[in-house]
Amino acid sequence: MAIELLIEGRPRDLGGFSVRRVLPAVQRRLVGPFIFFDHMGPADFAPGVGFDVRPHPHVGLATVTYLFAGEMQHKDSVGSDRVVRPGDVNWMIAGRGIAHSERATAEGRKNGLAMHGIQSWVALPLEHEETEPRFEHHPRATLPHLSVDGASLDVIAGTAYGKTSPVGVLSPTIYVHARLDADAELPVDDGHEERAVYVVEGRVRLGEQALGPGALAVLEPGARVRVVAEEAARVMLLGGAHLEGRREIYWNFVASSKERIERAKDDWKNRRFPIIPGDDVELIPLPEV
């Protein structure tokens, strides 16, 4: 059997912004280093509305922002201030601690915009949990692109299909955006220990299993799998090497110990995280539950 586990994304409302949350799930916490996977939208924001993800903290992980439509302004406590647009990659390593915000751009807020994309986190290897925080922005043109028999692929992070992304991953990773024509067949790169296929749009088959939007198929290790598009489709391939040790997750924090989580909670509550230049007035408070 090629599929080890099927997970259906659960709807979440993030203050008027709809997402499908796929990871973590009760059945599975990680696929490779991926510990959090949110499918954002699609959502339309009318002129004058916009969205604001106020300043909030992270430790022990890297965030990956990838958009299919729209644009978003990222600011963080290491001084980064970049707009991410469709096909670009924002890669932020939290390490020992970082704060950031993500807001509609001034132009998007004025004119209205459609937002659609994936927000994911990767847990860091034990030896990098307390690394120095940093941010990377990689424009679409700098990412490897290839075409395979009716499939158009962008290698977002890590390695796949003989290509390597410039994103500075800290453990073996596969993260690919694939657009498939109707009836196209895409073999899933089998060079990684743990892999999954997420359906963004359209309908596909993996063997005899049909999958629609919001479904994540975690693959059996080593299985030879082909994604067959029953109609034009968009899918994400994700995974990588299994990470050593258990990971705790609370709110925006990931760590290998509960003690580190408690310290992060206390640091945010008592304003010990570094501030974001130009966005230091408001913040998201620590959840009490």
Side-chain angles (χ1 to χ4, degrees):
M1 180 65 177
I3 298 176
E4 177 181 304
L5 179 65
L6 281 176
I7 300 172
E8 291 289 340
R10 293 93 62 205
R12 294 285 188 275
D13 186 345
L14 303 184
F17 197 78
S18 175
V19 303
R20 283 190 178 111
R21 181 149 303 159
V22 184
L23 293 175
V26 173
Q27 309 97 308
R28 182 92 178 211
R29 181 164 287 209
L30 295 99
V31 178
F34 286 84
I35 194 168
F36 180 92
F37 195 90
D38 260 8
H39 179 183
M40 308 182 295
D44 292 313
F45 292 90
V49 178
F51 61 89
D52 292 281
V53 181
R54 294 170 294 155
H56 59 280
H58 291 287
V59 300
L61 56 85
T63 65
V64 194
T65 303
Y66 188 82
L67 300 181
F68 311 124
E71 59 184 27
M72 183 184 294
Q73 182 124 27
H74 165 101
K75 292 184 179 182
D76 62 42
S77 55
V78 298
S80 313
D81 184 353
R82 297 298 298 260
V83 174
V84 60
R85 296 183 172 90
D88 299 346
V89 179
N90 272 7
W91 169 264
M92 184 184 75
I93 294 182
R96 60 180 173 78
I98 198 168
H100 77 133
S101 62
E102 291 170 309
R103 302 180 185 267
T105 61
E107 183 178 353
R109 197 180 300 273
K110 177 183 176 182
N111 299 323
L113 76 164
M115 286 294 297
H116 190 200
I118 304 289
Q119 282 275 22
S120 56
W121 303 346
V122 298
L124 301 181
L126 297 176
E127 64 272 23
H128 293 293
E129 278 193 306
E130 297 295 327
T131 197
E132 191 75 12
R134 72 172 192 263
F135 174 80
E136 302 174 15
H137 175 84
H138 296 275
R140 180 178 185 176
T142 65
L143 301 179
H145 174 83
L146 65 155
S147 297
V148 181
D149 298 331
S152 177
L153 310 180
D154 300 297
V155 182
I156 299 170
T159 58
Y161 302 98
K163 303 289 186 178
T164 301
S165 164
V167 171
V169 298
L170 297 176
S171 66
T173 302
I174 176 173
Y175 195 25
V176 175
H177 169 217
R179 287 155 292 175
L180 284 69
D181 296 335
D183 300 321
E185 297 189 16
L186 174 67
V188 179
D189 187 297
D190 59 2
H192 292 271
E193 183 180 4
E194 298 182 358
R195 298 163 299 152
V197 178
Y198 177 74
V199 183
V200 178
E201 298 170 336
R203 296 195 66 82
V204 304
R205 281 186 295 106
L206 275 62
E208 298 302 314
Q209 180 69 54
L211 301 174
L216 180 81
V218 181
L219 306 181
E220 290 277 3
R224 298 289 181 92
V225 178
R226 300 180 77 85
V227 179
V228 180
E230 296 184 339
E231 59 191 33
R234 188 192 303 268
V235 302
M236 309 296 282
L237 312 179
L238 60 139
H242 178 77
L243 288 184
E244 178 186 354
R246 178 177 170 80
R247 294 302 187 278
E248 304 290 337
I249 181 168
Y250 174 88
W251 190 39
N252 298 316
F253 306 133
V254 170
S256 57
S257 71
K258 291 181 179 179
E259 291 76 15
R260 181 65 183 94
I261 295 286
E262 291 302 315
R263 180 154 56 92
K265 289 164 62 176
D266 187 66
D267 285 345
W268 184 247
K269 190 173 183 178
N270 289 288
R271 306 291 182 92
R272 288 192 287 268
F273 270 79
I275 65 170
I276 303 170
D279 196 351
D280 59 354
V281 175
E282 55 182 356
L283 53 79
I284 300 176
L286 182 76
E288 293 302 322
V289 177

